[in-house]
């Protein structure tokens, strides 16, 4: 999987949010996000390039699935869980969605 500068920025900003709101290290956050991205790309049998050229609905559905995978990873690790998980996941979604829509 090759990652463009835009995609790298998306992952970096989303990782920073997880580091701020949970007890993840930067490396942990990048691994959780990367794993969720790879899993969803494989499930949909697609690439970032196809998603970027696809419809906004496809990208939004993709992001929602990635966010759900990240949420499951956070919930499964008691050390990472926080009292504000729902709010944190909503913020995480907003960051991913906003970054993808930037030109």
């Amino acid at each position: 999987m090759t990652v463009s500068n835009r995609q790298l920025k998306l992952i970096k900003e989303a990782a920073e949010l997880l580091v701020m709101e949970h007890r993840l290290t930067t490396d942990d956050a990048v691994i959780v996000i990367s794993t969720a991205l790879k899993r969803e790309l494989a499930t949909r049998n697609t690439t970032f390039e196809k998603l970027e050229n696809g419809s906004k609905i496809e990208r939004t559905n993709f992001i929602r699935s990635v966010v759900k995978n990240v949420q499951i990873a956070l919930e499964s690790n008691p050390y990472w869980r926080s009292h504000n998980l729902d709010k944190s996941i909503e913020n995480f979604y907003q960051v991913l969605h906003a970054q993808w829509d930037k030109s």
Side-chain angles (χ1 to χ4, degrees):
M1 174 176 86
T2 60
V3 180
S4 70
N5 287 337
R6 181 177 178 196
Q7 294 155 0
L8 189 59
K9 184 176 179 184
L10 182 145
I11 293 169
K12 181 181 175 202
E13 290 201 18
E16 287 173 5
L17 182 66
L18 291 182
V19 169
M20 288 185 327
E21 297 194 8
H22 299 277
R23 293 178 224 151
L24 279 79
T25 64
T26 301
D27 289 343
D28 287 340
V30 169
I31 289 169
V32 167
I33 295 167
S34 297
T35 300
L37 287 169
K38 287 177 188 175
R39 182 177 295 136
E40 196 56 32
L41 287 170
T43 299
R44 293 171 184 261
N45 194 27
T46 192
T47 64
F48 277 121
E49 292 76 21
K50 287 180 185 175
L51 286 169
E52 286 184 359
N53 293 327
S55 71
K56 185 174 181 176
I57 292 171
E58 289 172 330
R59 291 191 303 271
T60 299
N61 288 335
F62 176 81
I63 289 172
R64 287 186 191 277
S65 295
V66 168
V67 170
K68 183 64 178 171
N69 286 325
V70 168
Q71 181 177 5
I72 290 167
L74 293 175
E75 290 173 342
S76 68
N77 186 327
Y79 186 70
W80 293 341
R81 230 179 280 144
S82 78
H83 297 292
N84 298 322
L85 183 60
D86 289 339
K87 180 65 175 160
S88 171
I89 289 298
E90 179 62 27
N91 291 343
F92 180 71
Y93 169 77
Q94 295 299 329
V95 167
L96 281 178
H97 193 60
Q99 278 303 316
W100 198 307
D101 283 343
K102 285 184 181 176
S103 42

